[in-house]
């Protein structure tokens, strides 16, 4: 699942591929915006954790699951 996070006063957005479902990401974002948590915490495909202060969130865009990338490799 591709997730784009806009942060106030930051020139670039944060883009990550998450193994979480769209419903899980939406729930975590809603909890952060409701004040239940001071940080928005998401985990990407590689197990890295992304933390964003909830009061600095500008927007969160939840995209479609990304298709597998096809590359060239040795046979």
């Amino acid at each position: 699942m591709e997730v784009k996070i806009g942060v106030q006063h930051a020139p670039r957005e944060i883009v990550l591929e998450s193994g979480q479902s769209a419903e899980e990401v939406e729930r975590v974002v809603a909890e952060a915006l409701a004040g239940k948590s001071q940080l928005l915490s998401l985990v990407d495909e590689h197990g890295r954790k992304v933390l964003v202060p909830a009061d600095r969130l500008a927007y969160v865009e939840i995209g479609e699951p990304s298709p597998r990338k096809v590359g060239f490799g040795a046979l």
Side-chain angles (χ1 to χ4, degrees):
M1 181 69 48
E2 182 181 66
V3 180
K4 293 181 183 178
I5 304 169
V7 182
Q8 294 177 9
H9 309 296
R12 296 177 60 183
E13 62 189 10
I14 300 169
V15 180
L16 66 119
E17 291 289 331
S18 178
Q20 297 169 296
S21 69
E23 292 80 21
E24 289 175 309
V25 173
E26 186 175 354
R27 181 184 50 79
V28 172
V29 171
E31 287 176 1
L33 292 175
K36 294 181 181 178
S37 172
Q38 293 184 354
L39 292 174
L40 170 62
S41 175
L42 296 172
V43 179
D44 73 359
E45 288 182 330
H46 304 288
R48 294 178 290 211
K49 190 176 275 193
V50 176
L51 301 170
V52 180
D55 63 342
R56 297 289 181 203
L57 288 174
Y59 64 89
V60 177
E61 182 179 315
I62 303 169
E64 293 293 319
S66 60
R68 291 186 165 253
K69 296 178 181 158
V70 178
F72 298 96
L75 295 176

